[in-house]
Amino acid sequence: TLNELAPLSLKTWEGLAHPEDLSKSRELLEKHFEGELPYYNFECRMRHKNGEWIWVHDRGRLISRTEDGEPLMMFGTHIDITERKRSAEQLRESEESYRNQFARNASIMLLVEPGTGRIVDANQAAVKFYGYPRERLLEMKIQEINILTEADIREAMDSVKRDEAKQFSFRHRLADGSIRNVEVSSSSIPFGDRVLLH
């Protein structure tokens, strides 16, 4: 309650703010007080009454000064954004897990855009196997690697999109021009607002 926080002042806020966030907060407040920022805006950790640290979106604006020009009173809001921060952290961890499973996997992996055949991503095993730098692979289409006709490649990609075929025997051309027989297991996966072939 407000009574439990009284007397309200900048010291009240500083006493509840996480020590690691105080220096950045003070810097932003000072910039606002000096007129460099139109308002104060910061996401910080604050001590909850139950003892836990929660995330708060803290926004405010100086509304009055003392006669000698010092900041006197601010108006602002504190919004609990703990759940949003937790969700963002879970998403970051999920993306990192995916990235590690894809990038560091010993199996050769490509992500291919089914409409165009464009290679969207390639892991290190694919770079090593095909012999192209990763940057070059990401400029290529699967049609530049698979030696089937374009129509046959499109039919294979379409069958994966329709969830009909998942296993293929193909012949792929490597960077040095040699041809290798490869067994391909493929599936369609949602990736943002689109579907890619893995």
Side-chain angles (χ1 to χ4, degrees):
T1 65
L2 285 176
N3 286 340
E4 292 174 290
L5 295 170
L8 289 173
S9 70
L10 190 57
K11 295 287 183 200
T12 309
W13 183 88
E14 288 177 341
L16 297 172
H18 194 287
E20 293 175 9
D21 297 337
L22 280 175
S23 62
K24 181 65 176 174
S25 172
R26 286 185 183 121
E27 176 188 334
L28 293 173
L29 275 172
E30 195 57 40
K31 285 184 177 183
H32 173 57
F33 295 157
E34 296 296 323
E36 295 177 43
L37 296 173
Y39 53 87
Y40 170 78
N41 185 25
F42 188 51
E43 293 180 359
C44 61
R45 292 162 289 181
M46 295 192 74
R47 178 75 70 188
H48 190 278
K49 180 180 176 179
N50 66 14
E52 295 177 7
W53 290 107
I54 63 169
W55 280 96
V56 172
H57 185 184
D58 190 14
R59 288 184 58 141
R61 188 168 56 85
L62 183 65
I63 57 173
S64 64
R65 294 182 180 270
T66 62
E67 288 182 11
D68 57 352
E70 291 299 311
L72 178 64
M73 190 176 296
M74 287 186 75
F75 177 81
T77 59
H78 288 235
I79 299 172
D80 185 346
I81 58 169
T82 307
E83 285 307 311
R84 188 186 86 197
K85 284 287 196 178
R86 284 183 185 145
S87 295
E89 180 61 18
Q90 288 170 347
L91 179 60
R92 187 197 64 73
E93 288 173 358
S94 175
E95 288 173 349
E96 184 178 326
S97 173
Y98 161 76
R99 175 61 42 204
N100 286 334
Q101 290 174 42
F102 180 83
R104 296 182 179 168
N105 201 302
S107 298
I108 298 160
M109 294 189 188
L110 299 173
L111 289 179
V112 177
E113 195 173 69
T116 63
R118 184 174 71 86
I119 299 171
V120 175
D121 206 351
N123 71 353
Q124 192 56 41
V127 168
K128 184 177 178 182
F129 176 76
Y130 288 109
Y132 292 100
R134 184 171 182 277
E135 296 75 25
R136 173 68 181 116
L137 272 174
L138 300 185
E139 295 171 348
M140 297 173 71
K141 294 183 177 183
I142 197 66
Q143 296 89 323
E144 297 173 69
I145 293 173
N146 194 320
I147 66 170
L148 288 176
T149 67
E150 179 130 5
D152 288 339
I153 294 170
R154 182 156 312 286
E155 176 52 35
M157 289 191 295
D158 287 345
S159 70
V160 174
K161 278 179 61 178
R162 292 189 304 265
D163 206 25
E164 294 171 0
K166 295 188 185 263
Q167 306 289 326
F168 303 93
S169 292
F170 290 138
R171 300 183 78 209
H172 282 186
R173 180 177 290 112
L174 308 186
D176 65 7
S178 63
I179 305 293
R180 297 287 175 87
N181 294 319
V182 295
E183 292 291 326
V184 175
S185 297
S186 186
S187 59
S188 59
I189 57 169
F191 200 83
D193 60 350
R194 58 187 171 158
V195 172
L196 297 177
L197 303 182
H198 177 261

